[in-house]
Amino acid sequence: MRYPNQKFRKLVEFINEGREDKSKKIYVDREPREIDWVAYNLSQIKNIRETILFINKEVDKCKNPPRKVGKPLTNPKLLCKAILICEAFGLTERNAEGFIEFFRTSIKMKKLDDRVIGNAYNRPEVAYILKQIFERNKDSDGILSGDGTGLETSRRQNYGKNRKSTKEFLTSIVDSREIIQAFDFSGEDECKVMHSLIEEVNGESLRLDAGFNDRELVRKIAELGMLPFVYPYKSNKLNGSDAWKEMYLEFFTDIIFWLQEYYLRVHCESFHSSFKRIFGIIRKTRPHSKFVQVTARIILHNRARLSYFKKIKHG
């Protein structure tokens, strides 16, 4: 069977021109999701109280890792609480020591030395507990999007303007409520990483930009029961696996519907923007400490988003 590859490529080229020149744009942007200001204000007012209750409840529910032979160390659950408090309130280790000492009754903790808190970021036991919390708090609506972004490690960096400067790279999959379903902080190529990330999520559909234009990835997404929406290159052909052909024949025959679905990917970009704005730069220097810091921030981000949508539902 001969496929209309030349017409398909011309259509992709035409859509790309519309992205650069708005006068040629055929897709009408959807209305942005309306903010429920009552629920939003309530979430902000109760944020501190809910955050502390969440940290106590979720950490206490976790299992400690198997104990090693040797001198007993500080309970990793206490260290995990300290790290979540640091990241939630933007505290340095020294500020956190004073914070915990003053509010230890409310946060159900004993005094911790600032050096103990700092070293906790490099403890594998802490990462073990944080993973449990993350897995329990990533409810999904099934409308997924994926992308990668650079996370600055100093105020002088700007990922968009200076891509060659040293920074950390985060690849993530989020749902349409901007709740993170899976993430990778290894620094590997984002397309390569996405092959494994998709195995960690459950969804109805997944949107990816042209940086993930990979035939094998599209096939795997379809085999996992998700509809793929991967933006095409103008050099792509329709020939390929059933998933590849169906995805781009849909693009070719019903471009407006396809773009309406694809551009829901804006929620992934919105998450990356708000995540960096709220939590700021990556302050840690050791690789494992950076991973723990990012994981703690993602957990806190998910908590806040789930709290907001819960208030909308019950409001």
Side-chain angles (χ1 to χ4, degrees):
M1 179 178 178
R2 293 177 63 86
Y3 293 101
N5 286 315
Q6 289 186 351
K7 291 182 179 179
F8 171 75
R9 290 173 174 175
K10 287 182 179 179
L11 177 60
V12 176
E13 192 169 355
F14 175 72
I15 297 300
N16 288 344
E17 289 175 1
R19 299 170 80 179
E20 299 294 331
D21 182 354
K22 301 304 179 184
S23 65
K24 298 180 180 179
K25 184 177 178 181
I26 65 169
Y27 170 73
V28 178
D29 293 332
R30 294 190 183 197
E31 290 293 323
R33 180 166 51 208
E34 189 173 335
I35 298 174
D36 186 323
W37 288 109
V38 174
Y40 177 80
N41 290 335
L42 193 59
S43 294
Q44 295 299 303
I45 291 167
K46 295 188 174 183
N47 180 56
I48 292 177
R49 179 177 181 273
E50 289 183 349
T51 298
I52 291 175
L53 290 175
F54 170 85
I55 291 171
N56 279 326
K57 178 183 175 183
E58 289 299 322
V59 174
D60 289 343
K61 283 163 54 174
C62 292
K63 295 180 180 179
N64 273 325
R67 290 190 60 180
K68 297 180 180 179
V69 176
K71 181 181 178 180
L73 301 172
T74 305
N75 187 338
K77 288 187 178 182
L78 291 178
L79 299 178
C80 192
K81 287 183 180 182
I83 287 172
L84 287 167
I85 286 171
C86 283
E87 299 306 323
F89 303 113
L91 302 174
T92 64
E93 286 81 8
R94 289 174 181 172
N95 285 339
E97 179 181 344
F99 183 96
I100 292 168
E101 182 178 7
F102 189 78
F103 293 103
R104 59 185 174 184
T105 302
S106 299
I107 59 180
K108 300 177 182 178
M109 290 181 64
K110 65 180 183 180
K111 182 179 178 180
L112 289 174
D113 184 81
D114 66 289
R115 291 170 296 180
V116 173
I117 297 172
N119 290 331
Y121 281 86
N122 208 42
R123 295 272 298 274
E125 301 94 324
V126 170
Y128 181 89
I129 293 172
L130 288 176
K131 186 177 189 307
Q132 296 175 60
I133 300 173
F134 170 71
E135 293 295 335
R136 280 201 305 267
N137 293 275
K138 59 172 188 176
D139 176 56
S140 173
D141 65 4
I143 304 170
L144 308 181
S145 303
D147 202 1
T149 189
L151 299 180
E152 290 77 17
T153 57
S154 79
R155 293 293 182 194
R156 299 178 66 182
Q157 290 175 348
N158 182 297
Y159 181 71
K161 294 180 180 178
N162 186 4
R163 292 175 179 269
K164 293 183 179 180
S165 64
T166 303
K167 20 182 129 47
E168 299 299 331
F169 200 80
L170 174 69
T171 304
S172 58
I173 297 177
V174 309
D175 72 2
S176 70
R177 299 167 302 165
E178 297 168 28
I179 296 168
I180 302 92
Q181 305 299 311
F183 68 96
D184 178 90
F185 194 61
S186 66
E188 289 189 43
D189 175 76
E190 60 182 0
C191 185
K192 182 179 178 181
V193 162
M194 192 58 67
H195 280 262
S196 57
L197 281 186
I198 59 174
E199 298 176 0
E200 301 176 21
V201 300
N202 293 310
E204 300 170 4
S205 53
L206 177 61
R207 294 141 193 83
L208 301 168
D209 66 20
F212 300 91
N213 190 277
D214 178 281
R215 291 172 181 268
E216 179 64 16
L217 179 59
V218 169
R219 184 188 63 78
K220 287 178 68 174
I221 293 170
E223 287 180 352
L224 290 168
M226 294 181 281
L227 280 175
F229 293 90
V230 182
Y231 198 83
Y233 289 131
K234 60 183 180 181
S235 60
N236 283 147
K237 293 182 179 180
L238 293 169
N239 308 68
S241 67
D242 289 343
W244 181 269
K245 286 184 290 190
E246 289 173 13
M247 179 176 69
Y248 286 143
L249 281 172
E250 188 75 46
F251 178 96
F252 184 72
T253 58
D254 195 350
I255 184 65
I256 299 299
F257 165 79
W258 201 97
L259 290 176
Q260 283 178 334
E261 284 294 325
Y262 170 75
Y263 279 120
L264 289 173
R265 198 184 67 84
V266 69
H267 292 297
C268 196
E269 296 174 346
S270 177
F271 153 65
H272 287 149
S273 175
S274 64
F275 185 73
K276 288 186 273 191
R277 184 179 66 253
I278 291 169
F279 292 105
I281 64 173
I282 301 299
R283 302 188 308 271
K284 298 302 174 184
T285 56
R286 297 174 179 175
H288 186 79
S289 296
K290 291 178 183 178
F291 171 75
V292 165
Q293 187 171 50
V294 169
T295 303
R297 292 178 177 187
I298 284 175
I299 288 169
L300 292 164
H301 168 88
N302 278 2
R303 184 216 67 79
R305 297 301 292 174
L306 286 169
S307 173
Y308 168 69
F309 283 102
K310 185 177 180 181
K311 287 178 174 62
I312 292 176
K313 184 177 180 181
H314 295 292

